[in-house]
């Protein structure tokens, strides 16, 4: 069986009872960075387990090996460094192949940063589009320009290295809609959690003043 296990996005207290139980009883864990998952097990007082980094599954034969072991009846948990596996994180190839091979799959849901960002935003979230990380080059400007006509709330991830540039680009692309709300959620569930509500008109100032530290979710209201 393959268990897809979400883990906290910062606050250890957000681990679910099912996640703990699953990590305790599985035979092995396919994760992202073995040090991060090893540390999580330690913090949860779960005995050491064989850990394999998912990156080594990118080559076909390693993936095939995992599938063979799953078919033999081994119980694997799939985790990522934080949040939900497959959400802007590795995991898709393993889940897809396991499903195609008829392997039993269960999901152990939990935190995802974009969901936390959406629910903290105070913006309408009955309809939204999740964009992961914006493309760095090809298609970036076209995508940002398309935000002008988007009728759903938009949510995406940004790293500390690009937060200022991205906010400045949004300010410029959406300048014809100065009242459109924008929320920037930083370090959700962590000690320095911060949720900044602004508008397109205020984005330039926010881009300069925002603390350039940690992890970010950007939410833009519908047009
Ligand atoms: N799988 C994760 C999830 O379910 O949210 C996302 C992994 S993605 C590689 C990492 C990005 O998620 C960060 O660059 C940041 O944009 C966002 N993120 C993760 N944790 C966050 C947090 N505590 N607060 C704000 N954003 C966060």
């Amino acid at each position: 069986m393959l268990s897809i296990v979400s883990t906290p996005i910062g606050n250890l207290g957000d681990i679910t009872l099912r996640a703990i139980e699953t990590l305790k009883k599985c035979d092995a864990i396919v994760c992202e960075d073995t040090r991060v998952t090893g540390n999580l097990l330690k913090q949860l007082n779960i005995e050491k387990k064989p850990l394999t980094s998912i990156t080594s599954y990118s080559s076909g034969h390693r993936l095939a090996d995992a599938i063979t072991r799953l078919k033999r009846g081994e119980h694997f948990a799939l985790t990522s460094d934080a949040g939900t596996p497959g959400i802007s994180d590795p995991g898709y190839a393993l889940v897809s192949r396991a499903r195609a091979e008829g392997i039993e799959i269960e999901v152990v849901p939990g935190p995802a940063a974009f969901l936390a960002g959406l629910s903290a935003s105070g913006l309408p979230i009955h309809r939204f589009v999740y964009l992961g990380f914006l493309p760095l080059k090809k298609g970036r400007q076209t995508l940002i320009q398309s935000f002008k006509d988007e009728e759903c709330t938009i949510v995406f991830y940004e790293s500390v290295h690009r937060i200022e540039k991205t906010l400045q680009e949004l300010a410029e692309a959406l300048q014809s809609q100065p009242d459109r709300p924008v929320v920037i959620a930083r370090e959700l569930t962590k000690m320095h959690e911060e949720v900044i509500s602004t508008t397109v008109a205020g984005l330039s100032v926010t881009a300069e003043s925002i603390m350039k530290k940690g992890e970010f979710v950007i939410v833009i209201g519908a047009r």
Side-chain angles (χ1 to χ4, degrees):
M1 171 155 76
L2 178 64
S3 302
I4 306 164
V5 181
S6 297
T7 58
I9 57 167
N11 189 323
L12 184 66
D14 294 333
I15 190 87
T16 67
L17 295 175
R18 273 187 75 213
I20 295 174
E21 198 184 300
T22 307
L23 294 174
K24 272 185 184 162
K25 71 180 181 201
C26 66
D27 298 312
I29 302 174
V30 177
C31 56
E32 199 177 347
D33 182 332
T34 53
R35 288 165 303 183
V36 173
T37 299
N39 197 32
L40 177 71
L41 295 185
K42 207 164 157 189
Q43 286 178 289
L44 294 170
N45 290 318
I46 296 176
E47 65 175 39
K48 282 188 182 161
K49 299 263 165 171
L51 301 176
T52 317
S53 171
I54 187 96
T55 49
S56 57
Y57 286 84
S58 45
S59 72
H61 75 277
R62 290 300 301 268
L63 193 57
D65 181 51
I67 296 296
T68 306
R69 289 177 58 188
L70 283 163
K71 277 186 165 169
R72 272 206 307 253
E74 283 190 55
H75 181 187
F76 280 18
L78 169 67
T79 63
S80 63
D81 284 354
T84 298
I87 298 294
S88 300
D89 265 343
Y92 163 76
L94 179 60
V95 178
S96 169
R97 181 77 183 272
R99 193 158 289 293
E101 298 280 347
I103 287 160
E104 187 185 356
I105 299 175
E106 69 167 8
V107 69
V108 182
F114 78 93
L115 288 175
L118 281 170
S119 57
S121 73
L123 299 180
I125 51 173
H126 53 288
R127 284 201 312 163
F128 62 84
V129 285
Y130 166 69
L131 298 172
F133 289 97
L134 300 185
L136 295 184
K137 290 198 177 106
K138 198 168 178 285
R140 181 179 174 91
Q141 285 313 317
T142 313
L143 181 62
I144 291 179
Q145 288 297 332
S146 76
F147 292 175
K148 279 190 278 196
D149 301 318
E150 181 52 65
E151 293 181 355
C152 297
T153 293
I154 303 165
V155 60
F156 59 93
Y157 289 159
E158 193 47 279
S159 80
V160 68
H161 311 293
R162 276 181 300 275
I163 187 71
E164 182 166 359
K165 178 173 176 275
T166 297
L167 295 180
Q168 294 290 14
E169 284 176 339
L170 290 171
E172 197 179 320
L174 303 177
Q175 58 184 314
S176 61
Q177 303 168 335
D179 297 331
R180 206 157 154 192
V182 181
V183 174
I184 301 123
R186 187 176 82 83
E187 293 289 82
L188 289 163
T189 77
K190 303 186 199 176
M191 191 192 293
H192 299 292
E193 174 173 311
E194 184 181 22
V195 178
I196 300 167
S197 295
T198 183
T199 59
V200 167
L203 265 183
S204 223
V205 172
T206 306
E208 283 170 23
S209 61
I210 195 168
M211 175 73 88
K212 313 287 183 318
K213 225 173 175 184
E215 304 189 280
F216 301 83
V217 178
I218 300 177
V219 188
I220 305 174
R223 81 175 168 94

